Amino acid sequence: MSIDVNEEFAVERARQLEAARDWERALQDNLAAGTVERLPDGRYRVVTGWDAGEILSANGVPQHGLDLSRGTAALYTSAPAWHGLGNVVPGGTSDIDKVLELSGIDYGVDSVPATYLWNGETRVDHELFHTVRTDTGASLGVVGKGYEVIQNRRAFEFLQELVADSGVIWESAGALRGGKKVFVSMRLPQHVTVDAEGINEQILPFIVAINSHDGRTPYQTVVTPWNPVCGNTERLAVQDAITRWKIRHTRNAIDRIKEARRTLGLSLKYYDRWATEETALARTSIAIDEFNQLIDSLWPPEPATTSRSARNRETRRNRLHGMFEGETRRTGRTAYAAERAVTDYLDHYVPIRPSAASGLRGNKPAARGLRLLEGVDDELKSKAHRRLMLLRQR
């Protein structure tokens, strides 16, 4: 059969043009609706929903950082994601096996001896091992002989008991950095309400579990509230709250994971107390000078600042003030609005520089998401909460 390359080119070009027109129409609709904003460098930022703060290129290409080892994005979600990738199950599912399969994290991980060449001869290093995916053979990290692999299913299956006990649904799951890091998240069935008689803010309680195979980071579970209005994730800053549980990949790691269920049960009891404190913040007025004092307490002025650091400080202050004013229009000029502004800044705007070692160099959105999951800014969020709670005693 003969092939008319000119006709094929014309068909392909028409397809490309139609796809470009579809993207442009969708972009204009999103810009008009205020769900996407254009950035000075020509890219676009998602500003609402789950994906607030995520970046699209000027051509609409998502910068997601998801694993693509199997040819498709390793992601399961109960609602369509901003980048249109992954397997969507509307409303979610309670079946962990289905979640692992749809998210592309149903692969196993083996530990194999590290080898090296010496004078043309392959030798084995008995002190070092590679963690390797059993489906693709890709190396995920270099570890010592005391490292214990925690298989993805074993890492997350204990949460299935919470699904059975509480009626929660798996919200999302996926793999990052070629499968070196995997995660699952579930949403609890009850909302948490802040200031029911006032702003009546609905907060969603989540549990996130994160497993890694790179030899660099521990296994951990996180209990966190999520504010769907601004896409921020909070931390329970109240006294004695257990919100992040970690174990290293060492001997008996699997047995210790069983302890997490009891720990999570303790953490969940703090949601009501957290909501009580947030309601108190929502009913505490704050002056602009007090907001400036909050900023200085979180980012203390440096004794000898360069012109560059001074500019960065001014940029941060201006950004925080703008975000605070936006929150005051929604929830009033309160300590609650101040906390939302600080959390929003830390989640979506604080400057980051992804390193080559992270595997996400040049991909700031993915690096920011990983930073959020790993709780890099947890202490600053808690510090802001504690300081703002003191304003009740004025």
Side-chain angles (χ1 to χ4, degrees), residues 148-150 154-156 158 218-221 242 244-264:
E148 180 174 354
V149 173
I150 301 177
R154 293 294 299 275
F156 304 136
F158 82 98
Y219 168 87
Q220 54 188 311
T221 54
I242 303 171
R244 185 175 293 274
W245 187 87
K246 302 180 181 181
I247 61 169
R248 297 176 61 193
H249 290 69
T250 53
R251 183 175 299 176
N252 301 324
I254 297 298
D255 293 334
R256 292 195 59 213
I257 286 179
K258 298 176 183 177
E259 300 173 12
R261 187 171 185 272
R262 178 184 60 82
T263 302
L264 289 173

Side-chain angles (χ1 to χ4, degrees), residues 307-363:
S307 57
R308 180 177 180 180
S309 61
R311 286 195 303 272
N312 291 341
R313 179 178 176 79
E314 186 65 20
T315 298
R316 178 175 58 230
R317 183 178 290 269
N318 290 339
R319 167 71 73 174
L320 284 163
H321 272 275
M323 297 168 78
F324 176 56
E325 289 302 320
E327 283 294 328
T328 60
R329 289 191 290 271
R330 190 175 67 87
T331 61
R333 189 171 293 275
T334 64
Y336 183 77
E339 186 176 58
R340 298 282 70 70
V342 169
T343 302
D344 193 15
Y345 176 78
L346 291 171
D347 280 353
H348 304 300
Y349 297 98
V350 67
I352 61 172
R353 291 187 177 88
S355 66
S358 71
L360 296 171
R361 188 170 186 173
N363 192 340

Side-chain angles (χ1 to χ4, degrees), residues 99-111:
V99 169
L100 293 173
E101 177 186 356
L102 293 177
S103 63
I105 60 175
D106 54 347
Y107 56 86
V109 177
D110 282 342
S111 178

